[in-house]
Amino acid sequence: MSNYKSEEMPVTEPPAIDPTHWVENHADYLFSYAITRINDEEQARDLVQETFLAALERIDKFEGRSSERTWLTSILKNKVIDVYRKKSSGLNKITTSLDAEPQDQDFFDATDGHWNKTHRPQAFGIEEHDPLMSKELNSILQKCMQKLPALWLSVFTMKHMDDETTDLICAELKVSPSNFWVIIHRAKLNLRACLQKNWT
């Protein structure tokens, strides 16, 4: 018989989590995350505070499978989605009869929703990745996004900023798949027009 003795795997404890340093270590990051999706400073600060409070209430559920920041961000992300849901509540009824108009179909490929070659937006002149120009363009884009209807902004942000699945977005915001794509298409058209008007 072999004298080899199997060693038991040590039980690893989840990484220590320290609420006393949350504000110092994560508040700025979380605020930045919220403000780019909500564009309301007061509400963004409130969401960060609510995130910390919610995290304290469920601190015993933190299993250490992700970093402390990732865990806090996931809580904040759900709170942002709650805001989207409230803002778009009732507005989805307006879009229940939305059908893609012919001009929508002309702009986008029916199979993947991407721009058709002939209607693809022209370059904005920031291909050299100038940080100052990128910052200015991002500022204009944020302002353009805030001009979108609440439901459109919610759908567009969840899709293109948070990379959520179509199924999840439709379920959370109570939008049909066909209306989802119409909203995405029209949001793109509005943003393109706004950027071309305001970016010189």
Side-chain angles (χ1 to χ4, degrees):
M1 290 183 63
S2 171
N3 291 326
Y4 174 77
K5 293 182 179 179
S6 61
E7 295 183 1
E8 293 184 359
M9 294 295 292
V11 177
T12 58
E13 295 291 332
I17 186 167
D18 187 0
T20 61
H21 291 96
W22 282 354
V23 172
E24 177 185 352
N25 294 338
H26 307 299
D28 287 345
Y29 174 85
L30 295 174
F31 176 77
S32 177
Y33 179 96
I35 195 66
T36 57
R37 289 157 177 80
I38 301 298
N39 201 35
D40 181 321
E41 290 191 7
E42 184 176 352
Q43 187 171 36
R45 290 193 187 93
D46 288 344
L47 288 177
V48 173
Q49 291 179 2
E50 290 173 19
T51 296
F52 288 146
L53 289 173
L56 282 172
E57 291 174 356
R58 63 183 82 165
I59 196 168
D60 58 326
K61 294 181 173 61
F62 179 71
E63 299 177 350
R65 296 178 181 176
S66 60
S67 70
E68 190 176 73
R69 175 169 289 185
T70 299
W71 180 63
L72 290 169
T73 303
S74 69
I75 295 173
L76 175 58
K77 181 178 180 179
N78 288 328
K79 293 192 173 296
V80 169
I81 290 175
D82 285 342
V83 172
Y84 290 160
R85 193 184 298 114
K86 290 174 184 175
K87 282 186 175 182
S88 63
S89 178
L91 295 177
N92 55 353
K93 295 177 182 177
I94 300 173
T95 64
T96 53
S97 60
L98 272 176
D99 291 315
E101 296 177 357
Q103 59 265 35
D104 292 342
Q105 299 292 2
D106 291 340
F107 279 108
F108 304 102
D109 187 303
T111 57
D112 59 17
H114 293 155
W115 292 98
N116 283 327
K117 188 174 181 180
T118 54
H119 294 287
R120 192 172 298 157
Q122 298 298 312
F124 280 101
I126 59 169
E127 287 66 34
E128 299 301 320
H129 302 291
D130 183 325
L132 291 177
M133 293 182 73
S134 296
K135 184 176 181 180
E136 183 181 351
L137 179 61
N138 185 60
S139 175
I140 293 172
L141 176 60
Q142 287 293 325
K143 291 177 182 176
C144 288
M145 288 176 65
Q146 295 310 312
K147 294 180 180 180
L148 294 174
L151 181 60
W152 293 19
L153 176 61
S154 302
V155 170
F156 185 86
T157 303
M158 289 180 72
K159 180 66 176 176
H160 292 292
M161 293 184 70
D162 293 326
D163 294 320
E164 299 291 1
T165 65
T166 300
D167 289 344
L168 184 144
I169 297 170
C170 290
E172 291 286 353
L173 301 181
K174 295 180 171 53
V175 175
S176 72
S178 59
N179 284 345
F180 166 84
W181 286 112
V182 173
I183 290 169
I184 285 291
H185 290 173
R186 294 184 180 173
K188 287 180 180 179
L189 291 175
N190 274 265
L191 289 175
R192 183 176 85 158
C194 182
L195 285 170
Q196 289 179 333
K197 180 181 179 181
N198 293 282
W199 177 257
T200 55

